[in-house]
Amino acid sequence: METVNHQLNIQKTEHSRLPSEPLHHIPFGRIFSDHIFVATYDNGTWEDLKIMPYSNLTMTPAMAVLHYGQAVFEGMKAYKSATGETLIFRPDANFRRINKSAHRLCMPPIPEEIFMEGLKELIRLDSAWIPESEGSLYIRPLYFATDEFIGLKPSTHYTLIIMSCPVGAYYSEPVKLIVTDKYIRACEGGTGSAKCAGNYAASLLADKEAKALGYDNVIWLDGIHKKYVEECGTMNLAFVIDNVVVTPQLTGTILEGITRDSVLTLFRDQGVKVEERLISIQEVAEAYDKGILQEAFGMGTAATIAHVSKIGYQGRDLILPPISERKYGQSILEQLEAIKTGKVPDRYGWVWKI
Ligand code: COI
């Protein structure tokens, strides 16, 4: 039986580090806001809920997460509306997903009131860190195992941290991707749909090799046939083929992206044909050769909508049209940003005013 001590202890910083430069100019993920939220789990009890000044953590070298990687995280964003309100995009979806990821890594669920109260209080306290006209405050919940023990078993102690950083674009230019069949990201029954640290660590070598070839990242293929497009690692992918938006179906091996879901919902509601299905990289290449591959774009919280400018596949590059000629990805990006910043009414209940 889990117990929760609701008392939230707030210790404010006496020295804000808020930079004077425009916040959206700060490189992604480099400067963190003044406070963090921390909650700990000790053998069935959630306790010691606090908001404290951003600072280093102390840890034992035997801390379980460092050895066996029991760590899951989330990414969401807060915005300022034109009237100065603080808006968070779909935090309920992030809350559900972190617990789904936690379940897969054999970690106890985070109680909703802890996650939501911690999140809201933290972002209220650091609301001056939300960029005003462009950009957003990227929010990173991180949940990890803290047992002091070397031996493989689920931890009995955990820490949940929520931290944030002001950000502009994750990708400042359209991205160049290369298809890899040398490595795989996930296989059925694995952790592909969990937002766990290990998935990202395992992607780094392929990513490094892609960069050495002049690309920004890879397109992962399915682990069995090495045929079907999965995702990009930093974001989900969609292709526009003959005016149909086609995106890999959720098979348990790709991240169940919240931006992906938002984009598909908006497209469908506007009468755009959307297909969630298996899509082979061969089909993408054939569509290109027939002149009906109109667009490719990534969808993610950090990346928002990232236009794909080039796809390297089997020794050649599929070159996609410039942004000025794209009507799907660019329009959905603008619509999403308008909803997130309160410029247009939110018909979906996605935007939380805090
Ligand atoms: C996000 O989009 O929130 C992510 O966690 C992706 C990461 C590569 C920044």
Side-chain angles (χ1 to χ4, degrees):
M1 173 67 184
E2 295 196 342
T3 54
V4 177
N5 176 355
H6 286 270
Q7 184 65 43
L8 175 62
N9 202 328
I10 300 185
Q11 188 201 337
K12 291 189 190 167
T13 184
E14 287 174 8
H15 307 285
S16 174
R17 294 172 292 100
L18 188 65
S20 51
E21 66 188 291
L23 294 173
H24 65 279
H25 288 173
I26 296 172
F28 198 101
R30 292 277 175 202
I31 296 186
F32 298 94
S33 69
D34 281 329
H35 299 92
I36 58 174
F37 168 76
V38 185
T40 55
Y41 176 92
D42 176 357
N43 259 316
T45 304
W46 281 93
E47 57 187 17
D48 201 14
L49 313 187
K50 58 186 176 228
I51 288 180
M52 55 186 260
Y54 180 92
S55 60
N56 291 343
L57 306 172
T58 55
M59 67 181 88
T60 157
M63 188 161 76
V65 66
L66 300 178
H67 300 261
Y68 305 114
Q70 246 190 319
V72 297
F73 65 94
E74 271 306 322
M76 60 189 133
K77 280 180 172 170
Y79 298 82
K80 271 267 180 291
S81 73
T83 52
E85 290 162 324
T86 294
L87 311 174
I88 306 185
F89 190 67
R90 303 192 70 176
D92 50 332
N94 291 90
F95 167 71
R96 287 192 294 275
R97 192 171 64 181
I98 199 169
N99 272 344
K100 214 170 154 189
S101 303
H103 175 75
R104 180 62 185 82
L105 267 70
C106 208
M107 301 165 73
I110 303 164
E112 185 165 2
E113 65 271 27
I114 289 188
F115 186 91
M116 289 303 177
E117 274 316 297
L119 171 68
K120 287 186 204 165
E121 287 301 329
L122 178 75
I123 302 308
R124 279 181 197 132
L125 191 58
D126 279 352
S127 67
W129 285 79
I130 306 174
E132 294 216 335
S133 50
E134 290 170 59
S136 57
L137 187 69
Y138 183 78
I139 305 167
R140 167 54 58 85
L142 170 68
Y143 182 35
F144 55 93
T146 57
D147 271 8
E148 186 174 16
F149 174 65
I150 293 186
L152 188 57
K153 69 167 189 64
S155 193
T156 51
H157 297 80
Y158 294 89
T159 295
L160 167 68
I161 291 180
I162 307 181
M163 59 203 283
S164 74
C165 50
V167 298
Y170 189 81
Y171 292 114
S172 51
E173 299 287 334
V175 292
K176 305 184 271 302
L177 304 178
I178 183 165
V179 176
T180 180
D181 58 7
K182 180 173 171 192
Y183 306 104
I184 59 160
R185 180 183 172 276
C187 231
E188 208 181 314
T191 58
S193 68
K195 202 164 173 64
C196 60
N199 286 345
Y200 293 80
S203 74
L204 293 174
L205 184 57
D207 188 38
K208 182 178 166 190
E209 291 179 7
K211 287 192 169 75
L213 294 171
Y215 296 87
D216 299 300
N217 213 326
V218 297
I219 294 182
W220 296 102
L221 299 180
D222 75 278
I224 295 176
H225 312 280
K226 305 234 181 122
K227 179 174 170 189
Y228 299 106
V229 174
E230 293 263 285
E231 60 158 274
C232 163
T234 52
M235 54 194 180
N236 296 108
L237 289 172
F239 304 90
V240 184
I241 301 175
D242 207 7
N243 294 311
V244 179
V245 176
V246 185
T247 192
Q249 68 194 46
L250 301 177
T251 55
T253 57
I254 66 173
L255 190 79
E256 298 177 4
I258 295 161
T259 306
R260 174 189 180 281
D261 178 73
S262 311
V263 166
L264 301 188
T265 303
L266 288 174
F267 274 138
R268 284 187 171 120
D269 284 1
Q270 289 157 28
V272 173
K273 193 163 177 215
V274 171
E275 292 178 359
E276 293 177 76
R277 61 171 170 82
L278 294 178
I279 174 161
S280 70
I281 189 63
Q282 194 55 36
E283 177 184 342
V284 174
E286 282 169 16
Y288 178 79
D289 289 335
K290 285 188 205 148
I292 55 169
L293 177 62
Q294 294 153 284
E295 300 184 23
F297 55 86
M299 304 166 282
T301 299
T304 62
I305 302 297
H307 300 289
V308 177
S309 57
K310 176 163 108 171
I311 298 174
Y313 175 54
Q314 288 189 335
R316 67 175 177 144
D317 282 330
L318 317 183
I319 309 286
L320 291 156
I323 296 176
S324 56
E325 289 172 25
R326 298 182 183 213
K327 56 178 215 216
Y328 291 91
Q330 189 56 25
S331 131
I332 218 72
L333 170 62
E334 285 162 17
Q335 290 177 47
L336 260 182
E337 292 304 298
I339 295 174
K340 290 169 170 182
T341 50
K343 290 197 185 86
V344 298
D346 164 26
R347 301 169 39 204
Y348 303 98
W350 287 342
V351 174
W352 289 38
K353 283 187 194 143
I354 62 155

